mmCIF file with all atom_site columns, all heavy atoms in Angstrom:
data_model
loop_
_atom_site.group_PDB
_atom_site.id
_atom_site.type_symbol
_atom_site.label_atom_id
_atom_site.label_alt_id
_atom_site.label_comp_id
_atom_site.label_asym_id
_atom_site.label_entity_id
_atom_site.label_seq_id
_atom_site.pdbx_PDB_ins_code
_atom_site.Cartn_x
_atom_site.Cartn_y
_atom_site.Cartn_z
_atom_site.occupancy
_atom_site.B_iso_or_equiv
_atom_site.pdbx_formal_charge
_atom_site.auth_seq_id
_atom_site.auth_comp_id
_atom_site.auth_asym_id
_atom_site.auth_atom_id
_atom_site.pdbx_PDB_model_num
ATOM 1  N N   . VAL A 1 88 ? -19.919 10.984 13.670 1.00 0.00 ? 97  VAL A N   1
ATOM 2  C CA  . VAL A 1 88 ? -20.933 11.220 12.585 1.00 0.00 ? 97  VAL A CA  1
ATOM 3  C C   . VAL A 1 88 ? -20.393 12.390 11.783 1.00 0.00 ? 97  VAL A C   1
ATOM 4  O O   . VAL A 1 88 ? -20.481 12.379 10.529 1.00 0.00 ? 97  VAL A O   1
ATOM 5  C CB  . VAL A 1 88 ? -22.308 11.590 13.197 1.00 0.00 ? 97  VAL A CB  1
ATOM 6  C CG1 . VAL A 1 88 ? -23.227 12.073 12.081 1.00 0.00 ? 97  VAL A CG1 1
ATOM 7  C CG2 . VAL A 1 88 ? -22.923 10.371 13.812 1.00 0.00 ? 97  VAL A CG2 1
ATOM 8  N N   . GLN A 1 89 ? -19.776 13.460 12.423 1.00 0.00 ? 98  GLN A N   1
ATOM 9  C CA  . GLN A 1 89 ? -19.267 14.580 11.653 1.00 0.00 ? 98  GLN A CA  1
ATOM 10 C C   . GLN A 1 89 ? -18.169 14.118 10.685 1.00 0.00 ? 98  GLN A C   1
ATOM 11 O O   . GLN A 1 89 ? -18.128 14.559 9.524  1.00 0.00 ? 98  GLN A O   1
ATOM 12 C CB  . GLN A 1 89 ? -18.738 15.643 12.603 1.00 0.00 ? 98  GLN A CB  1
ATOM 13 C CG  . GLN A 1 89 ? -18.275 16.912 11.938 1.00 0.00 ? 98  GLN A CG  1
ATOM 14 C CD  . GLN A 1 89 ? -17.717 17.975 12.886 1.00 0.00 ? 98  GLN A CD  1
ATOM 15 O OE1 . GLN A 1 89 ? -17.790 17.724 14.029 1.00 0.00 ? 98  GLN A OE1 1
ATOM 16 N NE2 . GLN A 1 89 ? -17.176 18.987 12.331 1.00 0.00 ? 98  GLN A NE2 1
ATOM 17 N N   . GLY A 1 90 ? -17.273 13.254 11.174 1.00 0.00 ? 99  GLY A N   1
ATOM 18 C CA  . GLY A 1 90 ? -16.187 12.837 10.413 1.00 0.00 ? 99  GLY A CA  1
ATOM 19 C C   . GLY A 1 90 ? -16.681 11.977 9.202  1.00 0.00 ? 99  GLY A C   1
ATOM 20 O O   . GLY A 1 90 ? -16.254 12.135 8.060  1.00 0.00 ? 99  GLY A O   1
ATOM 21 N N   . LEU A 1 91 ? -17.649 11.095 9.473  1.00 0.00 ? 100 LEU A N   1
ATOM 22 C CA  . LEU A 1 91 ? -18.205 10.223 8.406  1.00 0.00 ? 100 LEU A CA  1
ATOM 23 C C   . LEU A 1 91 ? -18.985 10.995 7.365  1.00 0.00 ? 100 LEU A C   1
ATOM 24 O O   . LEU A 1 91 ? -18.898 10.753 6.156  1.00 0.00 ? 100 LEU A O   1
ATOM 25 C CB  . LEU A 1 91 ? -19.008 9.125  9.016  1.00 0.00 ? 100 LEU A CB  1
ATOM 26 C CG  . LEU A 1 91 ? -18.296 8.128  9.834  1.00 0.00 ? 100 LEU A CG  1
ATOM 27 C CD1 . LEU A 1 91 ? -19.323 7.215  10.597 1.00 0.00 ? 100 LEU A CD1 1
ATOM 28 C CD2 . LEU A 1 91 ? -17.308 7.265  9.085  1.00 0.00 ? 100 LEU A CD2 1
ATOM 29 N N   . ASN A 1 92 ? -19.653 12.096 7.830  1.00 0.00 ? 101 ASN A N   1
ATOM 30 C CA  . ASN A 1 92 ? -20.464 12.923 6.913  1.00 0.00 ? 101 ASN A CA  1
ATOM 31 C C   . ASN A 1 92 ? -19.579 13.762 6.085  1.00 0.00 ? 101 ASN A C   1
ATOM 32 O O   . ASN A 1 92 ? -19.939 14.155 4.937  1.00 0.00 ? 101 ASN A O   1
ATOM 33 C CB  . ASN A 1 92 ? -21.429 13.806 7.694  1.00 0.00 ? 101 ASN A CB  1
ATOM 34 C CG  . ASN A 1 92 ? -22.601 13.007 8.183  1.00 0.00 ? 101 ASN A CG  1
ATOM 35 O OD1 . ASN A 1 92 ? -22.965 11.912 7.744  1.00 0.00 ? 101 ASN A OD1 1
ATOM 36 N ND2 . ASN A 1 92 ? -23.301 13.607 9.178  1.00 0.00 ? 101 ASN A ND2 1
ATOM 37 N N   . ALA A 1 93 ? -18.367 14.021 6.580  1.00 0.00 ? 102 ALA A N   1
ATOM 38 C CA  . ALA A 1 93 ? -17.360 14.776 5.755  1.00 0.00 ? 102 ALA A CA  1
ATOM 39 C C   . ALA A 1 93 ? -16.787 13.989 4.633  1.00 0.00 ? 102 ALA A C   1
ATOM 40 O O   . ALA A 1 93 ? -16.156 14.550 3.754  1.00 0.00 ? 102 ALA A O   1
ATOM 41 C CB  . ALA A 1 93 ? -16.273 15.343 6.684  1.00 0.00 ? 102 ALA A CB  1
ATOM 42 N N   . GLY A 1 94 ? -17.011 12.713 4.702  1.00 0.00 ? 103 GLY A N   1
ATOM 43 C CA  . GLY A 1 94 ? -16.455 11.792 3.652  1.00 0.00 ? 103 GLY A CA  1
ATOM 44 C C   . GLY A 1 94 ? -15.509 10.837 4.059  1.00 0.00 ? 103 GLY A C   1
ATOM 45 O O   . GLY A 1 94 ? -14.976 9.969  3.250  1.00 0.00 ? 103 GLY A O   1
ATOM 46 N N   . ALA A 1 95 ? -15.170 10.719 5.444  1.00 0.00 ? 104 ALA A N   1
ATOM 47 C CA  . ALA A 1 95 ? -14.283 9.691  5.832  1.00 0.00 ? 104 ALA A CA  1
ATOM 48 C C   . ALA A 1 95 ? -14.829 8.331  5.753  1.00 0.00 ? 104 ALA A C   1
ATOM 49 O O   . ALA A 1 95 ? -16.102 8.158  5.833  1.00 0.00 ? 104 ALA A O   1
ATOM 50 C CB  . ALA A 1 95 ? -13.878 10.015 7.339  1.00 0.00 ? 104 ALA A CB  1
ATOM 51 N N   . ASP A 1 96 ? -14.051 7.297  5.593  1.00 0.00 ? 105 ASP A N   1
ATOM 52 C CA  . ASP A 1 96 ? -14.545 5.914  5.467  1.00 0.00 ? 105 ASP A CA  1
ATOM 53 C C   . ASP A 1 96 ? -14.474 5.165  6.767  1.00 0.00 ? 105 ASP A C   1
ATOM 54 O O   . ASP A 1 96 ? -15.224 4.207  6.994  1.00 0.00 ? 105 ASP A O   1
ATOM 55 C CB  . ASP A 1 96 ? -13.771 5.176  4.385  1.00 0.00 ? 105 ASP A CB  1
ATOM 56 C CG  . ASP A 1 96 ? -13.874 5.816  3.007  1.00 0.00 ? 105 ASP A CG  1
ATOM 57 O OD1 . ASP A 1 96 ? -14.852 5.428  2.343  1.00 0.00 ? 105 ASP A OD1 1
ATOM 58 O OD2 . ASP A 1 96 ? -13.037 6.612  2.606  1.00 0.00 ? 105 ASP A OD2 1
ATOM 59 N N   . ASP A 1 97 ? -13.546 5.609  7.650  1.00 0.00 ? 106 ASP A N   1
ATOM 60 C CA  . ASP A 1 97 ? -13.391 4.940  8.954  1.00 0.00 ? 106 ASP A CA  1
ATOM 61 C C   . ASP A 1 97 ? -12.834 5.889  9.892  1.00 0.00 ? 106 ASP A C   1
ATOM 62 O O   . ASP A 1 97 ? -12.406 7.041  9.572  1.00 0.00 ? 106 ASP A O   1
ATOM 63 C CB  . ASP A 1 97 ? -12.490 3.690  8.843  1.00 0.00 ? 106 ASP A CB  1
ATOM 64 C CG  . ASP A 1 97 ? -12.710 2.676  9.941  1.00 0.00 ? 106 ASP A CG  1
ATOM 65 O OD1 . ASP A 1 97 ? -13.570 3.019  10.809 1.00 0.00 ? 106 ASP A OD1 1
ATOM 66 O OD2 . ASP A 1 97 ? -12.129 1.653  9.926  1.00 0.00 ? 106 ASP A OD2 1
#
Side-chain angles (χ1 to χ4, degrees):
V97 170
Q98 183 181 355
L100 295 172
N101 285 343
D105 297 276
D106 202 357

